Amino acid sequence: MNSSIKNLITTHVRLRIVEAFKNFFLIIFILVGIPLQAQDEGVKTKVSVQSGYLEKKPEFPDAIIYTKDLSGQVYIVHEGVEMWCDQAFVYLKDNFVKAYGTVRITQGDTVSMNSKYAEYNGNTQFAFASGDVLLTEPKTTLRTDTLYFDRIKQQAFYRTGGTVKDTASVLTSRIGRYYADTKKYQFLSGVKIVNPEYIVNSNQIDFYSESGGAYLYGESTIESESSTVYCERGYYDTRNNTGYFIKNSRIDYNNRVLFGDSIYFDRNKSFASATNNIKVLDTVNKSIIRGHYAEVFRLKDSVFITKRAVAVTLRDNDSIYVHADTLQVTGKPEDRIIKGFYEARLFKKGLEGEDPTSGKCDSIYMDQKKGITKLLRNPVLWTAENQMTGDTIHIISNTTTEKLDTLKVFKNAFLIQKDSAGYNQISGERLIGLFTNNELDTVNIIKNAQVIYYPRNDKQELIGINNTVSSSIQLYIEEQQISGIRFIKQGKGKIYPLSEFPENARILPGFLWRGDERLYEVNDIFKDKPLPVLPKIKGIPLPKDEGNFFEDMPEEGMQIPEASKLKPKNLQNNPEDPKPDTIDQEKDKVEEQK
């Protein structure tokens, strides 16, 4: 027989064998695609082998082997799924396929999977791939060494470490689960997102590949050069760099820490806002700002806070409270400025044995570097038994000792001290007071000074009424009572007996006693102000319980073909692996606490 006839016969036989085996039911490994459909009861959709050199080998009696030839790789199609590999072993009896070499599987133009080895069990529709596994979809790629896929659940799973590369970030974890229907990855154990601008670490992250949204569950951080975000429940858009965090959430800006029931974060604008139970901690200037709504502009070193806003600053082991409808903190740490707008109030409790200092005004200004506090528009200040008013009041502290140093009242200065017989009053153009150990001990009234004063002798018996006009007056105060007066360029005036000084003349022009407004304790800074209406925080629910990836069953119930590389232990859940937090677990905890 010549060689040409021999080749013709060989080709004919080969084609007949291929045609015969095309009628057999062959199973192909696919990760994402249309599940196999039954044509009739017990009959599966067939797979079409389009190319490949077919052969039988004695050492593999149960397998039909397809090998790539000069026309290219083994090529198989099935209901829109295409597969290429260097060699495919088909076990018809077990309904089982093993693929070797450069394995590539695609589903339309959406999903592609590459690996060095793959196998598929047609009876269970369960797939396994190993060796440089790469799963690609439009916006992410998953790399791992070993991947399991359940076509019935449409879920993939790895537990030996995997890396997902997104358009903006790289996500890694020891355990990962992919939900094909929702395009969601669930990462557990050592979860990390690496972005050129930040790094995320978390116990659990649910990542949606289409949107780039990452849900953070458990203790989580987002670290960058300029800030660190912490939360135990949150959402972060990895592509637009915005986030929403709840449950023990905070943002650390190195020298300023923002706390709140919920925090919104925009990295692109260096902006954050917080809602309900806000606290801004200034670690450099030893101050805390509280309220129920805040905005932080990092690049401007600015904080805006409202809804029962109060700033608390530690000075000389004492706390100074500043409240206003709106507070604004600006400036670098060494140049911090606090401004309060509308119905501002100040309170300083004082150390043990000291009387409190408090004040009210329309607006307040504090320069922490210079140690100056300005009470603006209709201000009033109380130190011990002294009430002081004027157009503007300045309180100056010694920046070294942090003690009160000087008090200045500009224009229409008025000091009132209540006495059992009436009111001690001093008025003038300007007032300058001096402090010793945070207590006012000297007061100078400058220009157009007037006084109405009830002097007493050593037995505290009333002497009369001193009504004097002078260019300037100097008061000496001991134990918060006026102990002496010195008149500079005294004008008219003298001490009158009570009977000789008419009642209607015992009040100086501009007198206004505001003692009923005085603040005696910290909570008085909110006196007569309604409680703010707080918005309901929008929560981030835990994911529903999807169950374990592997079905719990005894080894004898597992349908593992003899030719498979898998062992029963490979298809069992590891009880030591962490379990995802789910809404079902949360409900169970609530029920247990009842």
Side-chain angles (χ1 to χ4, degrees):
M1 184 181 296
N2 60 39
S3 59
S4 60
I5 296 176
K6 184 177 181 181
N7 289 337
L8 181 62
I9 294 174
T10 301
T11 301
H12 177 73
V13 171
R14 183 182 299 173
L15 291 175
R16 291 293 301 273
I17 293 174
V18 171
E19 184 65 26
F21 278 107
K22 281 185 179 180
N23 293 326
F24 283 91
F25 171 69
L26 299 179
I27 303 300
I28 185 64
F29 164 54
I30 51 177
L31 281 178
V32 179
I34 304 171
L36 292 176
Q37 302 292 325
Q39 294 177 324
D40 300 300
E41 186 68 27
V43 179
K44 304 285 186 176
T45 301
K46 297 179 180 180
V47 171
S48 175
V49 180
Q50 301 294 311
S51 67
Y53 175 74
L54 185 152
E55 61 182 321
K56 287 283 293 180
K57 293 185 179 180
E59 59 269 35
F60 300 103
D62 297 326
I64 301 172
I65 305 170
Y66 289 91
T67 307
K68 69 177 182 179
D69 54 22
L70 294 177
S71 64
Q73 287 185 291
V74 179
Y75 175 48
I76 308 167
V77 296
H78 178 257
E79 296 187 359
V81 174
E82 298 177 280
M83 175 181 182
W84 294 262
C85 63
D86 294 341
Q87 192 171 61
F89 283 57
V90 181
Y91 296 83
L92 298 176
K93 181 180 178 181
D94 293 328
N95 209 6
F96 182 66
V97 176
K98 297 169 69 174
Y100 294 88
T102 305
V103 183
R104 181 165 65 97
I105 302 169
T106 63
Q107 169 64 39
D109 58 356
T110 58
V111 176
S112 175
M113 193 279 294
N114 296 73
S115 65
K116 291 181 178 179
Y117 172 77
E119 62 180 57
Y120 180 73
N121 187 328
N123 293 326
T124 60
Q125 298 191 46
F126 193 89
F128 166 75
S130 65
D132 297 334
V133 182
L134 176 66
L135 177 66
T136 304
E137 58 167 0
K139 293 187 178 181
T140 64
T141 57
L142 164 63
R143 289 185 180 274
T144 183
D145 186 66
T146 303
L147 187 70
Y148 303 88
F149 189 82
D150 188 325
R151 290 198 58 230
I152 296 175
K153 294 181 178 180
Q154 284 294 290
Q155 296 177 18
F157 178 76
Y158 65 82
R159 56 186 171 193
T160 55
T163 300
V164 173
K165 187 174 182 180
D166 181 50
T167 55
S169 310
V170 176
L171 302 90
T172 58
S173 67
R174 183 173 70 87
I175 300 173
R177 193 169 175 179
Y178 176 68
Y179 299 81
D181 292 338
T182 56
K183 302 295 189 293
K184 181 183 84 169
Y185 291 92
Q186 184 174 83
F187 301 107
L188 299 173
S189 185
V191 188
K192 178 179 286 190
I193 302 176
V194 177
N195 181 281
E197 296 184 19
Y198 59 85
I199 295 176
V200 181
N201 287 282
S202 180
N203 295 329
Q204 175 182 335
I205 293 179
D206 284 9
F207 178 78
Y208 289 84
S209 62
E210 289 189 331
S211 65
Y215 287 86
L216 316 178
Y217 302 104
E219 296 184 357
S220 307
T221 59
I222 305 175
E223 300 180 59
S224 69
E225 291 185 1
S226 58
S227 65
T228 298
V229 177
Y230 173 88
C231 72
E232 293 174 17
R233 189 83 61 83
Y235 170 82
Y236 194 75
D237 187 330
T238 61
R239 293 173 190 156
N240 295 314
N241 282 324
T242 59
Y244 172 70
F245 313 107
I246 61 173
K247 194 174 183 181
N248 299 324
S249 56
R250 71 173 185 262
I251 301 178
D252 188 341
Y253 288 108
N254 298 324
N255 55 59
R256 181 181 279 155
V257 186
L258 170 67
F259 300 82
D261 286 359
S262 72
I263 298 178
Y264 170 79
F265 180 70
D266 188 328
R267 185 178 303 279
N268 301 315
K269 297 180 180 178
S270 297
F271 170 81
S273 65
T275 304
N276 294 359
N277 299 309
I278 308 305
K279 182 170 66 174
V280 182
L281 175 64
D282 188 328
T283 56
V284 175
N285 291 284
K286 295 181 290 186
S287 65
I288 298 174
I289 306 174
R290 297 191 182 98
H292 292 291
Y293 179 76
E295 294 181 354
V296 178
F297 301 86
R298 183 184 60 81
L299 293 180
K300 297 180 181 180
D301 279 295
S302 174
V303 176
F304 166 93
I305 191 164
T306 186
K307 291 191 176 181
R308 220 169 177 78
V310 58
V312 185
T313 305
L314 182 64
R315 292 288 183 270
D316 188 30
N317 295 319
D318 191 11
S319 294
I320 300 173
Y321 296 80
V322 175
H323 162 69
D325 289 353
T326 300
L327 290 177
Q328 185 179 36
V329 183
T330 58
K332 299 291 184 182
E334 63 276 10
D335 292 307
R336 234 18 138 222
I337 302 293
I338 298 176
K339 299 176 183 178
F341 303 98
Y342 313 117
E343 297 192 42
R345 297 173 182 182
L346 176 146
F347 184 84
K348 181 178 181 296
K349 182 179 180 181
L351 301 176
E352 186 176 354
E354 296 179 354
D355 290 311
T357 298
S358 61
K360 298 177 69 175
C361 57
D362 181 69
S363 302
I364 196 166
Y365 173 97
M366 293 182 68
D367 186 325
Q368 295 182 323
K369 181 179 181 180
K370 296 179 180 179
I372 184 170
T373 299
K374 301 178 182 180
L375 279 63
L376 309 173
R377 298 180 185 172
N378 195 30
V380 57
L381 181 71
W382 296 275
T383 61
E385 300 304 319
N386 306 297
Q387 174 188 292
M388 284 157 283
T389 58
D391 289 1
T392 302
I393 297 177
H394 290 185
I395 306 169
I396 302 171
S397 300
N398 186 307
T399 55
T400 301
T401 64
E402 297 184 343
K403 294 179 180 292
L404 295 177
D405 184 272
T406 307
L407 171 70
K408 296 181 179 180
V409 181
F410 300 94
K411 292 188 178 181
N412 301 311
F414 211 119
L415 185 149
I416 304 175
Q417 195 178 78
K418 193 173 185 180
D419 186 88
S420 58
Y423 292 95
N424 295 321
Q425 307 158 59
I426 303 174
S427 67
E429 182 70 16
R430 187 154 48 100
L431 180 154
I432 298 177
L434 303 176
F435 291 87
T436 298
N437 291 326
N438 292 322
E439 290 189 353
L440 192 66
D441 61 9
T442 304
V443 175
N444 295 286
I445 304 292
I446 302 170
K447 194 176 181 181
N448 301 326
Q450 299 181 67
V451 63
I452 289 181
Y453 169 56
Y454 295 82
R456 296 177 182 273
N457 59 24
D458 294 340
K459 296 180 180 180
Q460 293 300 305
E461 297 172 339
L462 185 64
I463 297 173
I465 299 178
N466 187 336
N467 178 216
T468 303
V469 176
S470 177
S471 63
S472 299
I473 298 174
Q474 188 172 62
L475 300 179
Y476 304 100
I477 299 175
E478 292 182 3
E479 297 181 355
Q480 305 306 318
Q481 298 295 325
I482 298 175
S483 59
I485 299 180
R486 185 167 74 93
F487 298 97
I488 301 171
K489 294 183 181 181
Q490 180 176 347
K492 63 179 182 177
K494 65 177 183 178
I495 298 177
Y496 298 88
L498 285 177
S499 59
E500 296 182 12
F501 201 75
E503 289 282 349
N504 60 5
R506 297 181 185 182
I507 298 297
L508 293 176
F511 173 90
L512 178 61
W513 177 245
R514 299 174 63 179
D516 57 341
E517 300 178 43
R518 186 175 179 180
L519 316 180
Y520 290 96
E521 56 184 34
V522 173
N523 288 336
D524 286 344
I525 61 177
F526 303 118
K527 187 178 179 180
D528 299 325
K529 289 194 174 184
L531 289 172
V533 178
L534 303 183
K536 185 177 181 180
I537 300 299
K538 183 179 179 181
I540 298 177
L542 287 168
K544 67 178 182 179
D545 191 346
E546 300 277 358
N548 294 322
F549 178 77
F550 296 108
E551 299 295 335
D552 292 323
M553 64 175 61
E555 292 185 8
E556 56 271 17
M558 296 181 180
Q559 300 182 43
I560 304 177
E562 186 176 346
S564 173
K565 290 185 177 182
L566 298 177
K567 305 300 179 186
K569 65 178 182 179
N570 300 128
L571 303 179
Q572 293 176 330
N573 298 295
N574 186 347
E576 297 181 359
D577 284 343
K579 300 295 187 293
D581 290 334
T582 66
I583 193 170
D584 304 85
Q585 294 174 349
E586 192 173 54
K587 290 178 180 178
D588 291 341
K589 290 180 181 178
V590 172
E591 290 297 325
E592 290 176 0
Q593 294 172 356
K594 290 183 178 180

